Amino acid sequence: MISWLGFDLPTDKAIYLSLTTAGSTFLISYLVIHFLTGRRLEIVERLFKNISRKRFIEYNDISYGKNDEIDYLIKQGVKSSRTTEREIQRLNRIENYRKEFIGDISHELKTPIFAIQGFIETLLNGALEDEEVNRDFLRKAMRNVNRLIYLTKDLMEISKLETGELKSEIEEVYLFEVINDIIESLNYKAEKEGIKLIINEFDRGILVRADKNQLKQVLINLIENGIKYNVPKGKVEVSVFTKPKQPERIFLSVQDTGIGIDEKDIPRVTERFFRVDKSRSRERGGTGLGLAIVKHIMEAHGEKFTIESEPNKGSKFTISLRRVESVHV
């Protein structure tokens, strides 16, 4: 190049000058590129190192302005970091839920099984011949067997609801007929506990779209819950009403005069095995799955389930249902 430009230099000097020029050009180019991209490449390296080490921090200080390939890598790295963090958090929640569920189900099964074992061992060790206690022990053992049956049944039902195996067969249902049937079937249990069941007046011709059997299960769980956690001579009221802003829906509430629920516990009462009063629930055969089943059934219907409650002032459970029409009867 030097010879072509007409410089009359010896060959060795020309080579030296060429190498010096090339080296200087490379050094200047490297410094310019390092200045422009070095920090951003460090950010890329830091991003992916943190992801591999499962360390997630906020990258609010990162600015984009070059709109080149390195900027694209930084944007994808930040996005990958946030996505990976959310996924790990989700997996941790699932794992914690699994551990908690296994612990809960083990405890729920262990209590009646050990009770049955104790009663049978006592009978086999001689109490079977004692007519004053043998029938009493057998009755207690049978009560725990029934508790296991209820627990297994509820677990199977909630498992089918969660997996979608139990499909809702939606049909047009007369709401009064469903409520009246359930009240009649639970009246004996309520009277035994000294609780009054009340259906507040409403249009008997109201039709809703729902799975009839699942709707009955919802009402049974809510009303039994109201009976179980009530006070002596208390009451459970079933009401049906509408809201002006949602004319296409009917709302059904079950309100009791019971012990109520603390505000901090309201979000948890629909969790599996969560009980407001554990000793009272077990004493009366509760599985701790009733409200969880209600929640899943209403979600399967695409409807809402809400809870209002205060300690010692009772609770109000409300579900929404799709209205079909009103026929006056």
Side-chain angles (χ1 to χ4, degrees), residues 145-172:
V145 169
N146 287 333
R147 184 176 164 192
L148 283 174
I149 291 169
Y150 295 143
L151 179 60
T152 306
K153 175 178 161 291
D154 282 353
L155 278 171
M156 288 176 65
E157 186 162 0
I158 202 169
S159 177
K160 287 178 181 178
L161 285 165
E162 286 181 341
T163 59
E165 185 182 344
L166 188 61
K167 301 293 183 183
S168 299
E169 297 180 7
I170 306 298
E171 58 181 320
E172 295 183 1

Side-chain angles (χ1 to χ4, degrees), residues 213-231:
N213 290 328
Q214 289 182 4
L215 181 57
K216 283 184 174 182
Q217 183 65 57
V218 166
L219 283 170
I220 289 169
N221 288 359
L222 293 179
I223 295 171
E224 283 188 338
N225 202 66
I227 295 169
K228 189 186 304 175
Y229 292 104
N230 223 311
V231 295

Side-chain angles (χ1 to χ4, degrees), residues 95-111:
E95 178 63 16
N96 290 335
Y97 179 76
R98 186 188 68 82
K99 288 177 181 177
E100 187 178 332
F101 174 69
I102 290 173
D104 286 339
I105 192 68
S106 298
H107 180 74
E108 294 297 329
L109 290 171
K110 179 176 67 177
T111 306

Side-chain angles (χ1 to χ4, degrees), residues 14 29 32 54 86 96 100 191 208 234 237 246 265 276 281:
S29 300
V32 170
K54 297 179 183 177
R86 285 195 298 269
N96 290 335
E100 187 178 332
E191 288 173 0
V208 295
E237 292 185 70
Q246 299 184 61
D265 290 332
V276 175
S281 293

Side-chain angles (χ1 to χ4, degrees), residues 6 23 37 40 45 51 55 94 104 111 113 119 128 148 151-152 161 169 185 209 215 234 272 298 308 316-317:
T37 64
R40 293 188 297 152
E45 183 181 11
I51 292 172
R55 292 178 56 211
I94 291 172
D104 286 339
T111 306
I113 288 172
F119 291 134
L128 187 62
L148 283 174
L151 179 60
T152 306
L161 285 165
E169 297 180 7
S185 66
R209 291 186 58 78
L215 181 57
R272 293 175 175 183
M298 298 321 298
E308 302 167 61
K316 182 179 180 180
F317 303 92

